[in-house]
Amino acid sequence: DVANYDVTISGGTGGVINAVTKSGTNEFHGSVYGIYRDNDWSGKNQNDIRPALFDNEQTYGATFGGPIVKDKLFFFVNYENYTGKDLFTGNSGFGPIGSGESNIVGITQDQIDRVIALSQLKGFDPGTLAKPPLDTESEEFGVKLDWNITDTQRASFRYGKTEQNTPFLQGFSNSSLALNTYHYVRVFDLETYTAQLFSDWTDTFSTEAKVSYRDYSAVRNPLADLPAIAIRIGNNTLNFGTEENTHANVLETQTWNAFFAGNLFLGDHTVKFGADYESNEVYNLFGRRVNGVYTFNSIADYAANQSSRYQLFYPQGGDLVAMAAVFTQGNLGPFVPGGWAVNSNLTVAYGPR
């Protein structure tokens, strides 16, 4: 629903997506599926070179459902795995002069090699232009139980878990290149539990109740533990080290939701009443520039250790965890919506929240 005015919906600022998980039935059913795609099947660019966007990607999965107790208790499970080998998110197709990439940046390979050699003399490995051997991976698992308690009451329970690793390319543009220490992997973890109870008390009155818990985390894992370094080469820039927003970047949330509503049907009118509650515990660590950020105006300045700018955000007392925002947010929303079916073409929705 887009711009839904139903006052039972909380937190929907522009649109609401209602996803329904399959349920088991009195018969056993299952499915197996898969898809495969190879970079060799991709087209070539204007330089008659096939960009190495990825190696290959494949998805496979399975579903299975059926009865535990016929007519009373059912199950449904699903599993899916995705792997994009050498598949990255972010800008790609940029390269130095003579590389044949789709977008050429005014930096030569000799200049890049010189920066790499200088960095190694300083005691660290800045990486190379080659993409790191990383894959985009996602694994999902879900299970659902449905219970017909009586002819007028039914319950369901859902559990889901998703793990995903996504490599991100940073520091590329029409005037900049980045060595592979500048990239990072974002690790997502999501685990959910949901229980629902639906009850029909009379022909005109019913209730629904739901309780859910969600545990979510998103962590940026850098490919190196270094300062962020930018060297200007003419009108262009070479980036390497740990990108400044990735020095320490962790988001974790634990969310409890509860919902209860009663539905009363009075001819052409429907009255609904109830409330929902959400408790959201947040841990947000954004340690930007805690490793330092160096800018050099030339390769010669880099060789001489003469930076034009240095930035450092240092946590008070040296405790990085103290930089994190840690808080709990609660939201209670009672509601009394109503609906009036004026005719087959017009329905009026109203009610406070």
Side-chain angles (χ1 to χ4, degrees), residues 118 122 294 296 298-308:
L118 287 170
K122 296 176 187 291
Y294 291 90
F296 296 89
S298 66
I299 296 177
D301 285 352
Y302 181 58
N305 297 322
Q306 295 178 347
S307 63
S308 61

Side-chain angles (χ1 to χ4, degrees), residues 274-326:
D276 57 39
Y277 177 75
E278 178 178 284
S279 174
N280 196 17
E281 297 180 8
V282 178
Y283 175 89
N284 188 1
L285 172 60
F286 182 42
R288 184 185 182 195
R289 297 173 179 168
V290 294
N291 287 5
V293 179
Y294 291 90
T295 302
F296 296 89
N297 285 332
S298 66
I299 296 177
D301 285 352
Y302 181 58
N305 297 322
Q306 295 178 347
S307 63
S308 61
R309 184 175 66 172
Y310 175 67
Q311 298 169 286
L312 175 69
F313 292 172
Y314 190 73
Q316 185 176 9
D319 184 8
L320 184 62
V321 177
M323 298 181 70
V326 183

Side-chain angles (χ1 to χ4, degrees), residues 33 59-62 78-82 138-142 161:
Y33 58 91
T59 302
Y60 63 87
N78 69 280
Y79 174 82
E80 182 172 292
N81 184 288
Y82 168 83
S138 176
E139 188 174 38
E140 301 178 21
F141 170 76
K161 184 172 180 61

